[in-house]
Amino acid sequence: MRRSILVLALSVASATAAADARPSVAAAGGGAAATANAETATRLAERQVAQLTEHRAVLAKRYQDELAAIDRLKNQRASWRRDRELRDSLSDSLETANQLSTASRDLEKAKSSLASVRRAYLTAIDAEIASGPPPARARQLALARTQLSPQVKDAPRRIVIPDFDVDPLADPEELDQRAAELRASEDDLARQLAGFQAQAAELDHMVVLRKQHERAGDLFNRDDDEPHRSTARGDSTPDEGNGRQPNAPPPGSGPNFENFVPIVLADVIDATTINSLAAAQRSGDPVQRAEAAHRTHDAIARRLDQVRKRRLEIEQRAKLLRTAH
């Protein structure tokens, strides 16, 4: 009962349509042409994200349906027919889980690309506005900028850790300012830490799922002519075979922080950790990705502890200076 694999055909806008987009703008000059090209790239990236989002939703729905079917089969009386259907269902479920994991990575890459082209689009708009376009065009650009700015603002940004060193002669107000900057960095790091904790937990679940599928495949991989016992299996391990915990999310359902590490954490953790995370992500192996996610989580936790400790020291120093005066 092998299901056919769902194939998503990502449509690409034709060259004719791209050439016809805003012809009057392209004719207005080099700056306007650059803005039009950036807009076209943004629209194509938005369309790709929408298509990949829909594709992933279909896979997630299929995965949940397959898990429900496995649960129903396991509640039936053991038999040759039941065992064969369960084996096929487990195989289908694992295949869908792998597709879902791949679709999630593709979606996150597309979102990262969309964020980049949106920033380029905003830069092109600002450059054209600075060149002094006609009033009608200026209004058009201002409207586009108003719509685009919130989307670019939400894009991942690099976390910058303020300098730990302070002027020995700094007054309490200057120390308060440095402590506030460190606290803001703490908040950013804490969000990344929570995200990687969830990411690591999701990948750990994926690893367990794969191991359970492999074990179940060994248990049910019998020759068709081998006698089968019809005794009931008991209910002590109701989830054996699919590895699913109650209410556990499907693989790839959470936020994928791996793609944004080179942008967000470049100045926070060491390059070796960043490179190992990127290599694990390219491999697509849940075991490697889980290990890399745990290492990244630990590196962020260590950096967060350093920042918090230094911030408390600076706050204490400011407090002592105020007391002395």
Side-chain angles (χ1 to χ4, degrees), residues 64-251:
Q64 292 295 344
D65 291 344
E66 288 172 345
L67 291 182
I70 290 172
D71 288 340
R72 288 193 298 269
L73 284 171
K74 292 176 69 175
N75 290 329
Q76 296 177 8
R77 181 184 297 275
S79 65
W80 177 86
R81 182 193 61 80
R82 196 289 304 259
D83 286 357
R84 182 171 182 175
E85 289 184 2
L86 184 56
R87 180 188 58 202
D88 291 342
S89 296
L90 287 168
S91 179
D92 289 345
S93 178
L94 178 58
E95 183 178 13
T96 302
N98 290 332
Q99 291 181 44
L100 183 55
S101 181
T102 299
S104 297
R105 292 198 303 273
D106 291 344
L107 178 57
E108 291 302 327
K109 290 178 182 178
K111 287 181 177 179
S112 179
S113 176
L114 175 59
S116 298
V117 296
R118 278 175 170 169
R119 285 193 293 271
Y121 183 24
L122 185 61
T123 299
I125 290 175
D126 290 340
E128 187 177 351
I129 290 177
S131 68
R137 177 61 176 165
R139 288 192 296 271
Q140 186 181 29
L141 291 171
L143 177 60
R145 195 184 194 289
T146 299
Q147 297 172 343
L148 186 63
S149 293
Q151 298 170 331
V152 174
K153 183 179 179 181
D154 293 337
R157 61 182 180 82
R158 177 169 297 190
I159 296 177
V160 178
I161 307 297
D163 192 353
F164 281 8
D165 297 329
V166 294
D167 187 349
L169 302 178
D171 57 33
E173 288 72 22
E174 292 173 325
L175 294 175
D176 288 342
Q177 176 63 32
R178 180 60 55 83
E181 294 171 354
L182 289 170
R183 185 182 293 277
S185 297
E186 280 184 61
D187 293 339
D188 291 338
L189 289 172
R191 283 191 290 270
Q192 290 295 316
L193 190 66
F196 266 102
Q197 185 173 4
Q199 184 82 354
E202 178 181 301
L203 290 168
D204 287 341
H205 169 73
M206 181 64 178
V207 171
V208 171
L209 176 69
R210 176 166 291 184
K211 289 180 178 178
Q212 293 286 359
H213 274 285
E214 291 173 352
R215 184 173 66 178
D218 292 338
L219 292 175
F220 293 116
N221 189 18
R222 309 170 184 173
D223 295 331
D224 289 343
D225 58 350
E226 182 179 348
H228 296 268
R229 292 181 298 176
S230 60
T231 55
R233 294 176 177 266
D235 297 325
S236 59
T237 56
D239 280 323
E240 182 180 355
N242 63 14
R244 182 171 60 92
Q245 301 299 323
N247 300 320

